[in-house]
Amino acid sequence: MGALHLKVNGDELDVAAPSHWTLLEVLRYRLGLTGSKQGCDKGDCGACTVLLDGKPVLSCLTLAAMIEHRAVTTIEGLMPAHIANGGTGADPIQDCFDRCGALQCGFCQSGMMLSARALLDRVEQPTPEQVREALSGNLCRCTGYTQIFQAIELALADRAGTKPAPRAWEAPRDTEAAPRQA
Amino acid sequence: MSARDRHGKEAPWGEFGVVGKPHRKIDGLAKATGAAVYADDIVLPGMLHAKTLRSPHAHARIRSIDTSAALALPGVIAVLTGPELPIKYGVIPWTPDENALAVDKVRFIGDPIAAVAALDEDTANAALKKIRVEYEPLHAYLDPRESLTRHDPKIHEDKKDGNISKHVLLEFGAVDAEIAGSDVIVEDEYSFHGTTHAPIEPHCAVATYSADGVLTVWSATQITHYVHRALASVLELPPHRIRVIQPCLGGAFGGKSDPFSLEFCVAKLAMKTGRPVKMLYTREEVFYCHRGRHPMQMRYRSGASKDGKLRGVDAKILIDGGSYSSFGLVTTYYAGQLLTGPYAFPSYRFDSTRVFTNKPPCGPKRGHGSVQPRFAFEVQLDQIAEKLALDPIEIRRTNFVGEHTTTVNGQRITSNGFLACLDQVERASAWKTRHGKLPFGRGLGVAGSMYISGTNYPVYPNKMPQAGIQLKVDRSGLVLAFTGGNDIGQGSNSVVQYIVAEELGLQLDQVRVVAADTDLCPVDLGAYSSRVTFMVGNATIDACRKLRAQIVGALAEHWKIDAKRVRLIHGEAIDLDDASHHMPVIEAFHLAEEKSDTLGSTGSYNTPELGGPYRGGTIGASPAYSFTAHVAEVSVDVETGRIRCENVWIAHDCGRALNPMLVAGQMEGSAYMGVAEALMENHDVNRFGLHSGPSLLDYRIPTSVDTPELHALIVESLDPEGPYGAKEAGEGPLHPSIPAIANAVFDAVGIRLKHLPFTPGKVLAALAERDARAKSDAVEPTLTARKR
Amino acid sequence: MLRLPRFEVATPKTVGEAIARLAEAGPSAMVIAGGTDLLPNLKHELFTPELVVSLSAIEALRGVRVEDDGTLAIGAMTTLAEVAASELVQKHAPVLAQAASLVAGPQLRTMGTLGGNVLLDTRCQWYNQTYFWREALGFCMKKDGTKCHVVEGGKKCVAAASNDSAPALMTLGSLLEFEGPSGRRTQAIDDFWLADGIYNKKVAHAELLTEIRIPPTGPGHRGAYGKLRERGSIDFPLLGVAARVDVVAERITRADVVVTALAAQPKRIARVADVLVGVAARGEELDRAIEAVAASAAKQCNPLANIPGDHEWRKAMVPVFVRRTLRAAVDGNGPVHGD
C-alpha cells in the first residue's frame, strides 16, 4: 500500500490506501470527508460528484491513484474557499440551496451543488436549458428538481444584483378560500 | 380526542410570526456543507464491516449451510446464520413472517441467508463466497394469478389460506342495484406495475454492544420506535437495554419503514464480537429490500346518472405482495378504503386480495395502497365524463363529497379544499380555452385525490399517545425539543422548530431539535402515513402551551399584571399595555425557573375515535384528509409513441402551509415521482425470478432534463384539528399525476391508457388499434384526425 | 459499497512505457482510460486484472488538431466532453461532436475518452450485472457460462455494441492508429469490428489505441447523430444512428448511414449512397429518397432483446430515427434526441 499524493480542497496530503480504492473511498474512509456520498455504487447517480481541476467527475469511478497531484474539490471545500476569498459563511450556492428548500434529504445535493458550482464558475448567465443539462448527471429523488433550479436562479440573480422570478411559495394564498360545498 | 389534542387554527399570539413563512430548514446548512452525518458516515473505533449472503433461488428449501470455510478466512471475525435469530418479525404484529436470515426457506432471489463480519468489506465479500448452502429448489410463483389458485407448495407454510396474504371484502349500500339503475355504466380493467422508492441513500446500520449490555443501533430508518420493538423481540433483549438512533436520512419514501435484516444482523454481530459492526447495502441489495408499490390488477365497474353523479362503484383488485407480508394487511384495506373521497359514493364495494409471490417483498411507497386504485378510478371517471359528454373537471365538481361530512365507508372528513384545488388547476392550466382544443398530439388531463394525515390505527394496539414531545429550557436561552419523530428529509424537525419558536416567541436560532433517538426522545410512531406534521405538530403545540403558561405566569406575577397582557415575541417578553415592562426572553426563563422549577414540559397527541363500525373500519380513518387536483399537459409523438409530460399543475389542500416553501417542495417531489411511475419506472423480475435491473442505470428515475415543469398551487382549508389547521402534503400530491397523464393522453390522441407504465410500445399499439377501429368505423385515422 | 477487485495500478508517462508494462504483465493486465466503462465492469467482476495500466498521465494522447491536408487527428485520451465542445470537431465532423455530446451524462463525458468509447465493451442485460446476479442466473456465454439467454440455444454472443462514437466515426471513414509491442499500425474503423459479442474488436493485447484520424471532409460535408434512449441523459443508446450527407452544388455527393446498439457490431445500412447520391438536397425528391432509405434500413435491422428495453420498439424506431437523422444531417440541425 503506497502513499498517494493528493490535493484535496487545497490541502496537499499523503494518504495510504490500497491501489484498488476509488477516490470516493479514499475521501470517505481515509480522509473522513463524508460529504461525498455513495448512492449507486457505479456511476449511475452522481451523488459522489467532486470537482477535478474544477470540472465535475464521479469519484466512485475514479481511481485515487489516477488523480495524484490534481486539484480535488469536495463539498467540504466550498465554504472554506469562500471564506478565504473574503466571503462569510457558506458558499453562495450552498446558501441558495438552503434558502430555496432544495435540501430535502440532502443526500444527492453535495454532488448537485458541485455540478452547479462548476456551471456558475464556467458560465456567467446560463440559460434554464443549460442549467438542466449541467445537472442531468445528478439524480435527485426528493425535489423534482424545481427548487434546485430555483436555487441556481437565486444564486445567479444574487450575483447579477437582480431579483429571481417569483417562486410557487411566494404566491399569495387565498386562505380559507375553499368553497363550502358543490 | 381529549381537549389537549385540539389547539385551534389561530396564531398563538394573534398573528403568526414564524408559521406561514419560507424559513430555512433547521438542518439545511448542515446538509449544504456536507457536515450532516448519515448512517454510513459513522465510523467507530475497531469497527467491523458486515455483508450478507443472499439466495440465488426464487423459492427453495435450505438443506444445509456450511460456514466453516468462511469463518476460517483470515480477517473474518464472525458469521451469522438464521437459526441464531429464530424469532420472526414483521412491522404489522399480526403477520410476523420474516426472519433476519433465512431459517429453513428462501422466498425470493436476494432473500438474506447469512452475514459475515470482517475487518473490511473485501474480506467479508470473500468470505461470503466460501459459504456453502445446499438448496432444494421449489416451484417459484411469479404470476399473482397463479398464487390465487395454486397452494402447493405454500410460500409461507404456516399461513392458513394457501398463498393468499390477505383478503378484504367490504360493501356499503346496495351497489348492484345502484349500478343497475344507472344511466351510464363503465366497466374496465386497469393494471399498475411495480415501482420502488429508490432513495439515493442505500440502507445502512451500525451497532455497538457495551460491556454493560446496552445495544445501540444507528440505522437509516424512518421508524425508530418499531425498529426498537423488533430488535427487543428478535434479539430477546429487554427494550430498556436497546437504543435506536436515526442519523440524518438520505431519503425513504416508505422504503425504510419496515425493520430490515441488516439491523438485526449488525446488532447480533456486535453482540457476538464485542465490536462495533456496520453494514451498508449495495444499490442492488436496496432493490432486493424493495417494499415498493404493489403491482395491482384492478377491475372497476361504476354507474352514474345522466348529470354525472356517481351511484355506485364496484372494485375487484388482485395485489401482488411479493414474498413477505410487510404492511400488506394495511395495503389490502387501503386499496379500497381510501377511494371514498373527494367524490361522494352512494354505494361502494371492494374486494381486494393480496397474494404471495416469489419476488422482492412489496410494502408502503408514498401514497401507500391508494395510488393504484386512484389511477384506475380517475381514468374510469374520465370515461364516464366522455360517455356523458361532460367536462372532466365539471364531473369532479358534481361529485364533490363536501366538507365536515362522512363518507360511505364511515370515514369522517373535516376540512376539504378540493373544489378550490379544481379551481386553481383549471385557471392555471387555462383549461377552459385549451382542453379539447389543442392541436392533435397535445392534451390536458385532470385527476383528483384524497389522502390521510396519519391514521388512528397504531400498528400495535395501545392507548398511549401516538406522538410525544419534550421541551427543555436552558439557562442560555436555548429551548431544546426532543421528538421521536423521524425527519426523513421532509422537514419534520424544522416543523417542530417553527412551532416552538411561534409558541414561545423565540428567534429560530433559539430552538434546536433532538430527534429519533429512543434514549433521549419520547416515543413517536415514525414517519409514515403522512402523520408527522399533524401529530408531532399538535404534540409540540401541547408541550409549548404548558411551558408558556409557566413563563407567562411568572412574568404576570413579576409585573403584577393579568397574564393576558403578557406576550412573547421575537425573543422578548413584553406587556401589551405597559411599554416599561419588557425583558429578553432569556430573563423570563430565569424568572420562571426561580419561581417554579427546572423548566421543561411534555406534550402529546392522540387521534379521536374514528372509523366505521366494522372490522377494518379504523384502517384508513384519519383525523384529517388532504385533497389534491392535478392538470397534466402532455405531448405525444405518434411516430415514436413517446409521451412527454411538459407541465403539471398541482393544487393541494394542505390545511395550512406551516412553511409554504417546504410544502411546495413536497408537492413538486410527489408529482415528479408520480410522473416517473407513469412514464419510466418499472420494478419487475424476469422469467427466472431475477430482478430485471437492480441498478440506478436500469431502474430509470428521471433526470433534470426528463422532469416536467411543476407548478405548485397551495390551497389552505384550515383544518379544525390540525396544528394551526395544517394537514399533510408529502404523499397526497403524488396520486393524481398518473391518471392526469392518462387522461391528457386521451385528450391529445384519443387513446385510453389503462395499463401502466405508459411505454412507447403500448402507445403505438393503442394508436394502431384506434386506427384500425377508425378504419372499420370509417373515421379518419390518427395522423389526420382531430386536427383542431 | 460495491467493491472493486484488488489490483495494482501503474501510471506510465509515455506510450512506450505503457506498452512495455502491458506486455510484461501479460493478459492479467488491462488498460484504463477514463474508467467509466472498465470500473463498473470490474465491480461486476466481469474482469479481474492484477494490474491496471492507466493512460491518464500520458499527455501525448490528448488533444484535437487539424493536419495540413485537412485530416482531423484526435488523441485517444481526449475526453468526450472535449470532443463535443471542440470547434474543430464541430466544423469538420459534426456527427462526431453530436454523438460525443450525447454519451451518458455530463460527468461521465468529462471522464470518458474518445478512445475508451471506441473500445467500449459490448453490453447485454444478462451480462452487465453483478457477480451475485449472474451466478443466480447461471451465467452466460460472454462471461463465466456457456448459454445465451437472448437467443435460446444460440451459439454466438449477441451482446450489443453500444458506443455512440463508433457509427459516427464510420460515416467519417475514420482510421484508428494503434501502437503495440511490434510497432504501429493503422486500422480502418470499418474493418475493425467482429460479429462476436464476446469481443467485437480486432485489438491485440498490449496494443494501445493512440489516435483517431478523420480524413478531410469537404466544405459540403454534413452529418448528424440520432440517439434513442429512455432518458434525456445518462443512458446508453437503445439505438444510435449516424448519418452523413455531403452536399455540393445543392446535390448530394456522398451519403452514409451507420446504426448501432442493435447487434454485436455497428451496422452500415446498405445501398444508402445508391439511393441518395445525385439527389437534390431539398424538395420532394429528397423526401422520397430519405423515406426509401428509412424503409430499407427497417428491413435490414432486426434487433434482439440483448440490451434492456423493448426490442420491438427499437426495431420500429429504426426507420423513424434513420429518417429523422438523415433529415437533420441535410438541414444541419442535429442531433436527433429526446423527442
Side-chain angles (χ1 to χ4, degrees):
Chain A
M1 195 183 300
L4 297 167
H5 188 80
L6 300 181
K7 197 173 156 191
V8 180
N9 299 327
D11 299 341
E12 309 257 352
L13 303 165
D14 287 313
V15 189
S19 55
H20 67 294
W21 276 34
T22 61
L23 175 59
L24 178 63
E25 287 161 329
V26 172
L27 291 171
R28 289 182 55 78
Y29 308 128
R30 279 290 188 267
L31 300 178
L33 295 172
T34 53
S36 302
K37 301 302 183 196
Q38 188 280 122
C40 70
D41 294 317
K42 55 180 194 67
D44 302 327
C45 79
C48 68
T49 300
V50 299
L51 303 185
L52 186 62
D53 296 331
K55 291 180 188 162
V57 299
L58 302 177
S59 60
C60 79
L61 291 188
T62 301
L63 294 175
M66 284 167 59
I67 51 94
E68 285 191 279
H69 307 288
R70 296 178 66 187
V72 175
T73 306
T74 72
I75 194 67
E76 291 92 343
L78 292 190
M79 185 165 91
H82 181 59
I83 290 170
N85 288 330
T88 50
D91 181 279
I93 273 289
Q94 295 171 319
D95 194 49
C96 289
F97 268 60
D98 186 33
R99 284 159 64 199
C100 291
L103 297 142
Q104 289 195 23
C105 85
F107 200 79
C108 72
Q109 299 290 19
S110 301
M112 190 77 73
M113 287 182 284
L114 287 165
S115 285
R117 178 75 268 162
L119 173 71
L120 265 60
D121 288 345
R122 201 176 76 240
V123 186
E124 189 57 33
Q125 277 296 329
T127 62
E129 290 69 35
Q130 283 176 304
V131 170
R132 280 188 184 246
E133 169 60 30
L135 303 182
S136 70
N138 294 87
L139 298 176
C140 172
R141 195 58 166 162
C142 291
T143 61
Y145 302 100
T146 306
Q147 293 186 332
I148 295 169
F149 301 148
Q150 289 166 347
I152 293 170
E153 282 168 27
L154 178 60
L156 289 167
D158 282 354
R159 185 158 84 177
T162 58
K163 265 185 150 341
R167 281 73 58 93
W169 70 78
E170 295 166 325
R173 290 185 304 286
D174 200 1
T175 300
E176 278 189 294
R180 297 283 117 186
Q181 62 153 76
Chain B
M1 176 187 264
S2 57
R4 67 158 196 220
D5 295 318
R6 274 184 87 138
H7 307 292
K9 40 197 178 183
E10 297 76 28
W13 305 98
E15 64 187 72
F16 286 111
V18 178
V19 161
K21 298 182 171 59
H23 289 290
R24 291 170 186 260
K25 287 175 74 174
I26 192 168
D27 51 2
L29 283 170
K31 287 174 174 172
T33 54
V37 175
Y38 298 73
D40 186 45
D41 302 341
I42 296 168
V43 175
L44 299 173
M47 187 172 78
L48 300 175
H49 297 266
K51 301 295 283 186
T52 301
L53 180 75
R54 293 178 181 274
S55 167
H57 293 282
H59 195 192
R61 201 171 304 286
I62 295 174
R63 284 213 188 107
S64 67
I65 304 179
D66 179 0
T67 62
S68 54
L71 204 47
L73 197 70
V76 172
I77 311 298
V79 180
L80 187 64
T81 57
E84 292 174 78
L85 295 169
I87 296 172
K88 287 185 175 174
Y89 61 90
V91 68
I92 302 293
W94 320 119
T95 56
D97 56 11
E98 295 186 61
N99 282 105
L101 298 165
V103 170
D104 49 3
K105 272 185 80 173
V106 286
R107 297 181 176 86
F108 71 100
I109 295 179
D111 215 357
I113 294 173
V116 173
L119 297 184
D120 54 49
E121 280 191 289
D122 288 345
T123 307
N125 279 328
L128 293 184
K129 287 191 176 171
K130 292 187 177 292
I131 297 175
R132 294 282 160 259
V133 185
E134 257 192 287
Y135 298 97
E136 177 193 331
L138 299 168
H139 172 76
Y141 296 85
L142 302 181
D143 181 347
R145 286 167 302 190
E146 187 188 15
S147 304
L148 205 53
T149 51
R150 176 172 171 177
H151 298 316
D152 184 34
K154 279 205 230 179
I155 295 174
H156 292 276
E157 271 144 12
D158 52 354
K159 291 276 192 272
K160 286 187 221 99
D161 200 5
N163 285 315
I164 289 169
S165 157
K166 178 73 189 172
H167 174 238
V168 176
L169 171 60
L170 287 171
E171 184 164 347
F172 309 95
V175 185
D176 292 322
E178 285 285 342
I179 293 179
S182 296
D183 297 321
V184 58
I185 299 167
V186 174
E187 180 167 2
D188 223 327
E189 285 182 7
Y190 311 84
S191 63
F192 205 106
H193 61 313
T195 66
T196 198
H197 320 80
I200 307 297
E201 179 199 31
H203 301 61
C204 180
V206 183
T208 61
Y209 189 67
S210 72
D212 51 357
V214 175
L215 172 71
T216 303
V217 176
W218 290 262
S219 181
T221 179
Q222 56 191 109
I223 43 141
T224 328
H225 178 58
Y226 296 143
V227 169
H228 189 185
R229 288 171 56 85
L231 285 168
S233 160
V234 173
L235 297 165
E236 300 178 85
L237 286 176
H240 69 271
R241 287 209 277 116
I242 301 177
R243 178 179 183 185
V244 182
I245 303 168
Q246 175 229 309
C248 199
L249 195 76
F253 315 108
K256 294 169 180 168
S257 54
D258 287 57
F260 285 103
S261 167
L262 81 171
E263 289 153 337
F264 305 102
C265 287
V266 291
K268 186 71 179 178
L269 287 166
M271 291 166 73
K272 279 180 82 157
T273 61
R275 297 174 69 162
V277 179
K278 177 192 278 186
M279 190 183 290
L280 166 66
Y281 278 172
T282 62
R283 176 53 56 180
E284 181 182 18
E285 290 179 290
V286 174
F287 280 98
Y288 297 142
C289 274
H290 190 42
R291 318 291 157 145
R293 183 126 28 245
H294 288 73
M296 291 192 192
Q297 297 173 20
M298 301 168 282
R299 167 168 286 278
Y300 276 81
R301 184 170 62 109
S302 303
S305 50
K306 274 194 215 101
D307 59 0
K309 275 219 188 295
L310 289 164
R311 292 188 59 178
V313 177
D314 184 13
K316 192 169 174 67
I317 303 173
L318 175 60
I319 305 172
D320 184 348
S323 48
Y324 291 99
S325 286
S326 180
F327 279 87
L329 180 152
V330 176
T331 316
T332 314
Y333 276 105
Y334 276 10
Q337 291 286 62
L338 300 185
L339 195 71
T340 53
Y343 317 115
F345 291 4
S347 67
Y348 179 45
R349 172 167 61 218
F350 72 90
D351 177 348
S352 65
T353 308
R354 183 183 191 266
V355 297
F356 293 113
T357 53
N358 293 111
K359 305 187 210 176
C362 297
K365 181 180 166 190
R366 202 174 199 171
H368 178 196
S370 66
V371 168
Q372 307 93 319
R374 179 59 59 186
F375 155 67
F377 183 72
E378 292 287 328
V379 172
Q380 184 148 98
L381 193 56
D382 244 45
Q383 292 172 288
I384 294 170
E386 183 196 349
K387 279 204 166 191
L388 293 170
L390 293 172
D391 178 88
I393 290 184
E394 217 43 63
I395 197 171
R396 287 170 169 85
R397 287 196 179 104
T398 299
N399 285 292
F400 180 54
V401 70
E403 60 177 353
H404 302 293
T405 184
T406 304
T407 65
V408 69
N409 57 338
Q411 316 289 32
R412 184 200 71 168
I413 286 178
T414 52
S415 63
N416 186 343
F418 182 62
L419 291 181
C421 292
L422 285 175
D423 291 348
Q424 293 255 14
V425 294
E426 184 180 56
R427 194 164 47 237
S429 67
W431 175 273
K432 283 183 181 162
T433 54
R434 301 205 305 147
H435 176 257
K437 302 182 184 77
L438 290 168
F440 180 77
R442 179 172 288 275
L444 295 178
V446 67
S449 69
M450 98 173 172
Y451 200 65
I452 51 178
S453 302
T455 109
N456 76 332
Y457 175 88
V459 308
Y460 66 98
N462 74 84
K463 292 193 167 141
M464 291 177 279
Q466 289 168 298
I469 197 132
Q470 205 156 355
L471 299 177
K472 175 220 162 199
V473 179
D474 194 80
R475 287 181 190 174
S476 65
L478 176 75
V479 176
L480 259 175
F482 296 84
T483 166
N486 295 86
D487 193 322
I488 61 175
Q490 86 283 42
S492 61
N493 288 350
S494 303
V495 165
V496 170
Q497 183 198 35
Y498 305 149
I499 292 175
V500 172
E502 186 71 64
E503 289 286 328
L504 301 179
L506 297 170
Q507 310 282 358
L508 285 177
D509 68 359
Q510 291 174 285
V511 184
R512 287 208 284 270
V513 177
V514 175
D517 178 328
T518 60
D519 263 19
L520 303 182
C521 306
V523 164
D524 180 81
L525 298 182
Y528 65 93
S529 71
S530 274
R531 54 177 293 288
V532 180
T533 293
F534 197 95
M535 297 195 189
V536 176
N538 272 324
T540 309
I541 295 176
D542 181 39
C544 287
R545 295 211 171 154
K546 288 176 193 160
L547 184 62
R548 196 174 80 180
Q550 287 184 66
I551 297 161
V552 167
L555 286 163
E557 194 186 319
H558 178 70
W559 286 330
K560 300 187 175 57
I561 59 170
D562 191 296
K564 286 197 183 99
R565 285 169 51 183
V566 178
R567 183 160 177 191
L568 306 176
I569 181 168
H570 301 318
E572 290 285 317
I574 59 169
D575 176 351
L576 288 171
D577 295 348
D578 182 348
S580 72
H581 288 152
H582 63 90
M583 66 173 78
V585 82
I586 182 172
E587 286 174 25
F589 289 167
H590 295 173
L591 193 70
E593 196 175 335
E594 280 167 29
K595 287 186 188 293
S596 49
D597 200 345
T598 300
L599 275 188
S601 68
T602 61
S604 65
Y605 175 79
N606 238 339
T607 60
E609 291 293 318
L610 293 169
Y614 52 88
R615 188 182 167 87
T618 60
I619 303 184
S622 176
Y625 293 89
S626 76
F627 296 89
T628 315
H630 285 191
V631 166
E633 178 171 6
V634 304
S635 61
V636 180
D637 182 331
V638 295
E639 260 193 354
T640 63
R642 282 195 130 145
I643 299 166
R644 189 162 177 85
C645 181
E646 300 187 353
N647 286 286
V648 185
W649 290 273
I650 313 146
H652 179 73
D653 166 21
C654 65
R656 184 193 292 280
L658 300 183
N659 178 333
M661 184 173 78
L662 302 193
V663 169
Q666 289 302 309
M667 291 164 63
E668 290 153 1
S670 292
Y672 143 91
M673 200 171 264
V675 172
E677 293 187 51
L679 300 180
M680 247 173 215
E681 298 175 15
N682 191 7
H683 191 273
D684 204 358
V685 297
N686 61 27
R687 63 183 188 268
F688 303 106
L690 259 174
H691 194 290
S692 53
S695 72
L696 289 180
L697 182 63
D698 292 331
Y699 186 83
R700 295 185 170 89
I701 71 177
T703 74
S704 54
V705 294
D706 303 303
T707 303
E709 296 285 345
L710 303 168
H711 312 274
L713 306 160
I714 297 172
V715 170
E716 297 184 311
S717 62
L718 303 186
D719 190 77
E721 295 183 17
Y724 310 126
K727 303 187 285 189
E728 76 91 35
E731 301 191 70
L734 188 151
H735 293 71
S737 307
I738 302 164
I741 288 172
N743 294 337
V745 169
F746 180 74
D747 187 43
V749 293
I751 57 172
R752 283 278 174 213
L753 296 176
K754 291 172 281 195
H755 303 282
L756 283 158
F758 306 145
T759 60
K762 283 183 197 162
V763 171
L764 290 179
L767 286 168
E769 190 195 327
R770 179 188 177 279
D771 288 350
R773 213 172 48 236
K775 213 175 260 174
S776 66
D777 297 352
V779 178
E780 283 181 284
T782 301
L783 279 167
T784 51
R786 302 195 336 138
K787 288 271 185 208
R788 296 174 295 213
Chain C
M1 192 177 309
L2 194 59
R3 306 282 306 173
L4 286 166
R6 285 173 193 278
F7 50 75
E8 293 303 315
V9 179
T11 50
K13 298 269 190 308
T14 65
V15 170
E17 204 186 319
I19 292 167
R21 286 302 300 266
L22 287 164
E24 175 195 15
S28 72
M30 293 186 80
V31 176
I32 186 167
T36 58
D37 184 41
L38 183 71
L39 293 182
N41 288 352
L42 294 186
K43 288 187 176 191
H44 286 163
E45 298 177 57
L46 298 172
F47 306 101
T48 47
E50 286 166 22
L51 174 70
V52 168
V53 177
S54 167
L55 307 183
S56 57
I58 308 178
E59 280 306 316
L61 293 179
R62 293 177 191 279
V64 182
R65 65 197 153 84
V66 179
E67 295 177 352
D68 291 344
D69 69 344
T71 296
L72 189 66
I74 306 174
M77 285 295 286
T78 310
T79 68
L80 292 160
E82 288 162 352
V83 170
S86 161
E87 287 177 13
L88 291 175
V89 180
Q90 287 170 5
K91 182 175 167 219
H92 295 277
V95 63
L96 179 62
Q98 292 172 22
S101 78
L102 294 180
V103 175
Q107 296 97 320
L108 292 163
R109 287 193 296 275
T110 301
M111 304 160 71
T113 64
L114 181 59
N117 194 253
V118 169
L119 297 173
L120 192 86
D121 192 13
T122 54
R123 299 186 62 82
C124 182
Q125 60 174 315
W126 307 103
Y127 169 71
N128 295 101
Q129 303 285 358
T130 64
Y131 186 87
F132 166 78
W133 193 99
R134 293 185 296 110
E135 187 182 35
L137 172 71
F139 300 112
C140 78
M141 65 164 63
K142 183 159 159 67
K143 177 64 183 166
D144 298 322
T146 53
K147 280 190 197 158
C148 179
H149 304 286
V150 180
V151 181
E152 228 165 311
K155 295 277 179 276
K156 201 153 199 184
C157 175
V158 292
S162 301
N163 31 9
D164 292 294
S165 64
L169 289 169
M170 286 173 71
T171 63
L172 295 163
S174 306
L175 302 171
L176 307 177
E177 294 292 331
F178 285 93
E179 199 168 327
S182 49
R184 299 182 183 197
R185 74 179 169 98
T186 302
Q187 161 83 58
I189 194 169
D190 286 0
D191 306 323
F192 180 56
W193 311 106
L194 301 166
D196 180 359
I198 292 178
Y199 197 73
N200 70 342
K201 293 166 276 282
K202 297 176 192 164
V203 189
H205 178 71
E207 258 194 336
L208 288 186
L209 174 61
T210 55
E211 193 169 80
I212 294 93
R213 297 177 64 77
I214 298 168
T217 50
H221 173 77
R222 300 177 193 181
Y225 189 68
K227 179 164 180 169
L228 180 69
R229 56 177 167 178
E230 295 199 3
R231 292 180 293 189
S233 184
I234 300 177
D235 294 342
F236 283 95
L238 295 169
L239 167 68
V241 179
R244 172 183 192 151
V245 183
D246 290 5
V247 178
V248 176
E250 297 292 305
R251 296 250 158 220
I252 296 174
T253 57
R254 181 170 174 174
D256 194 9
V257 174
V258 180
V259 298
T260 194
L262 300 178
Q265 56 179 342
K267 181 186 181 76
R268 170 162 283 119
I269 300 300
R271 296 179 299 279
V272 172
D274 299 351
V275 178
L276 282 173
V277 169
V279 168
R282 64 168 64 123
E284 277 181 31
E285 188 191 1
L286 175 69
D287 296 345
R288 277 196 304 275
I290 288 179
E291 209 52 66
V293 171
S296 162
K299 286 195 191 114
Q300 296 177 46
C301 299
N302 283 297
L304 298 164
N306 42 16
I307 53 178
D310 176 352
H311 67 286
E312 288 177 11
W313 181 57
R314 282 161 64 215
K315 177 167 173 59
M317 289 306 99
V318 169
V320 176
F321 269 68
V322 166
R323 169 158 44 77
R324 290 183 182 185
T325 310
L326 270 170
R327 173 62 65 188
V330 174
D331 296 344
N333 60 5
V336 174
H337 181 239
D339 45 23

